[in-house]
Amino acid sequence: MSIQVIICDYVDDSGENVISAWMSTISVRAKASINVKLEHILAQTPQKDWHKSRVAAKRKGEPDLWEVKVYSDNVQWRPLGFFGPKSGTLGTFTLLVGALEKGGKLNPPGATDEAQARKAKVTINPQKYRRIHDYK
């Protein structure tokens, strides 16, 4: 199967890739699990079919945010992201916040608010605030 969705990471005002920085703080196993889901499942699934996936879901109460669902190291990892702005003919999904879920709540607290604030920046200036995801 070919690439259907380009996966990107949020980059802050200083130019730091915050998704890469977050992933450097989690276990190698969890990072690998997240990257496998992103690269081998979600990037190869057309945007219109993501709702059928067990690996991603729209975040409840946040209709424009999606969560990537990965279970590794006895942790429910839930990086948050959104589709857009579009790049050419392929869909573009930008990871905004690294999070985990415990007891039905995201950690860090305020992750959805942070994701919404970052989404607004990416929407206004995608060239400044996002980079292609690094699967290493």
Side-chain angles (χ1 to χ4, degrees):
M1 195 173 231
S2 63
I3 298 296
Q4 301 294 311
V5 175
I6 299 168
I7 307 292
C8 296
D9 295 342
Y10 177 78
V11 175
D12 69 13
D13 286 317
S14 71
E16 179 182 23
N17 182 326
V18 299
I19 300 302
S20 180
W22 172 72
M23 290 183 79
S24 73
T25 68
I26 65 178
S27 75
V28 171
R29 176 187 230 147
K31 180 179 177 178
S33 294
I34 292 168
N35 277 331
V36 164
K37 302 289 193 264
L38 291 171
E39 184 175 23
H40 298 289
I41 298 173
L42 296 176
Q44 296 183 31
T45 302
Q47 177 180 341
K48 66 179 182 58
D49 294 332
W50 274 38
H51 71 282
K52 299 175 190 175
S53 172
R54 295 184 314 190
V55 178
K58 286 189 175 181
R59 183 79 187 154
K60 290 180 183 171
E62 303 289 337
D64 53 346
L65 291 182
W66 287 75
E67 58 186 17
V68 177
K69 300 167 90 172
V70 177
Y71 185 77
S72 179
D73 296 337
N74 296 318
V75 175
Q76 296 180 63
W77 302 99
R78 298 292 186 264
L80 302 178
F82 83 108
F83 282 101
K86 195 166 183 159
S87 289
T89 59
L90 297 177
T92 303
F93 183 77
T94 304
L95 294 163
L96 299 166
V97 175
L100 59 94
E101 185 175 352
K102 188 171 185 178
K105 295 185 181 188
L106 288 182
N107 187 2
T112 54
D113 292 338
E114 185 68 26
Q116 290 291 4
R118 290 175 177 178
K119 175 185 167 275
K121 288 183 173 186
V122 172
T123 301
I124 292 168
N125 190 345
Q127 291 75 26
K128 179 178 180 179
Y129 291 106
R130 74 176 180 196
R131 301 287 180 275
I132 300 294
H133 182 71
D134 181 1
Y135 293 101
K136 295 178 189 168

